[in-house]
Amino acid sequence: QPILKDANGLAIKALPKGIPSDEVRLAAQSSAKWLEFKKDIKPVAALQLVRFEQAMSNSRRWGGEDFNNLLVNHPLLQKVVRGLVWAVYREGAMVSTFSFRPDGTAIDVNGIALVVQPDAWVGVPHPLDMGEELEAWKEVFRQSKQAQPFPQLVRKVYLEESDPDGTFFGLEGLVVPSLAFKGLKAMGWDREGDTFGGTFDSFYRRFASGSASITVSPGLSLAAYDDLASEQTLSVDSAGLAPVDFSELIRELQTLKG
């Protein structure tokens, strides 16, 4: 939410009313800029939430210097950053986790202040990677009554060993609305199998540890996803995905149920 502050740094609900000594043109421009800013910030903020959630799902890492300069101290992004648990990685392995106090101080799960070094590698850890610290961080956020910008600590996870019949938690053979597939692109899925007739029947998604694909029947139209049929029967294929990637695969495809 955009916040206005007066000359003393105190939050105010709206721009102050004009007084006779104000320049009318500049006052009008200021009001117009503020209204435009409030309108523009909503889609930008929503896009950033998706960006950070995908950073967790796709194991993206930032260098410590970029993390401090571009994220922690960014006027918009710092709100998102402070609402998440972060991790420091060395040679691809997580070595420690941290979050932030309301004043922006980085702390470990025991509340001890720390400094993110410029040469560190930092990322948003998935709950499956957090081990015993997951429950400890849940308690920290419960105690502080701090909400997260998207589900991280309480994220629903899917373990491959919990799907003994191999149906991808009931997704194999599931009948779903054709229009539901339009939301896959925003999650990183690409269509494949375009034909001369303007139809296709499959999507694929690359993960850090491998890839997955889905096939739909009777197929989708490039012009309008529900031109050929209002519903599609789903088939899922993947192999060798790491636990985090498998969990995110199932979580993303669960959204097709609507």
Side-chain angles (χ1 to χ4, degrees):
Q1 295 294 328
I3 299 172
L4 276 172
K5 294 183 179 181
D6 63 16
N8 297 316
L10 300 176
I12 55 178
K13 293 183 178 180
L15 286 171
K17 294 182 179 180
I19 58 177
S21 62
D22 286 337
E23 187 173 334
V24 176
R25 181 180 61 84
L26 290 179
Q29 287 179 352
S30 295
S31 295
K33 284 184 177 180
W34 173 242
L35 292 174
E36 183 180 6
F37 176 74
K38 289 200 297 182
K39 178 182 177 181
D40 290 347
I41 201 69
K42 290 184 179 180
V44 171
L47 181 63
Q48 293 303 323
L49 293 183
V50 173
R51 173 192 174 197
F52 280 98
E53 188 166 14
Q54 288 185 338
M56 179 186 69
S57 302
N58 297 331
S59 303
R60 179 180 175 180
R61 306 288 181 253
W62 286 267
E65 186 173 4
D66 285 343
F67 176 74
N68 289 322
N69 294 336
L70 304 180
L71 302 186
V72 175
N73 296 317
H74 191 283
L76 174 62
L77 301 183
Q78 64 179 236
K79 289 291 186 182
V80 181
V81 171
R82 294 178 186 180
L84 297 170
V85 173
W86 293 82
V88 174
Y89 296 85
R90 184 177 297 118
E91 297 181 355
M94 189 178 74
V95 296
S96 62
T97 58
F98 65 95
S99 190
F100 293 87
R101 293 180 184 142
D103 65 1
T105 303
I107 56 171
D108 66 14
V109 73
N110 298 310
I112 300 174
L114 53 85
V115 175
V116 178
Q117 299 298 328
D119 61 349
W121 286 101
V122 181
V124 184
H126 191 277
L128 283 177
D129 288 336
M130 295 175 68
E132 295 180 355
E133 288 196 350
L134 176 61
E135 292 303 319
W137 277 118
K138 285 182 181 180
E139 184 59 27
V140 170
F141 275 69
R142 275 195 294 264
Q143 292 287 343
S144 64
K145 297 181 180 179
Q146 183 177 4
Q148 292 200 290
F150 59 80
Q152 180 194 19
L153 298 176
V154 296
R155 195 176 194 83
K156 185 172 178 60
V157 297
Y158 299 87
L159 300 176
E160 194 165 5
E161 55 265 32
S162 300
D163 181 41
D165 56 0
T167 64
F168 295 93
F169 290 87
L171 291 168
E172 185 68 31
L174 183 69
V175 177
V176 298
S178 295
L179 290 177
F181 293 91
K182 292 180 71 69
L184 289 179
K185 184 173 179 60
M187 301 179 193
W189 290 82
D190 290 312
R191 63 174 182 258
E192 62 179 353
D194 291 3
T195 69
F196 182 75
T199 64
F200 66 102
D201 62 2
S202 59
F203 295 83
Y204 71 95
R205 164 89 150 88
R206 292 189 178 91
F207 292 89
S209 62
S211 62
S213 63
I214 57 176
T215 304
V216 298
S217 178
L220 299 163
S221 168
L222 290 172
Y225 275 25
D226 58 349
D227 267 3
L228 298 179
S230 61
E231 293 182 324
Q232 303 287 329
T233 301
L234 181 66
S235 180
V236 186
D237 183 43
S238 76
L241 290 181
V244 167
D245 293 338
F246 179 84
S247 181
E248 289 301 302
L249 166 68
I250 301 302
R251 189 177 189 277
E252 291 174 1
L253 295 184
Q254 291 286 344
T255 65
L256 297 174
K257 294 179 178 180

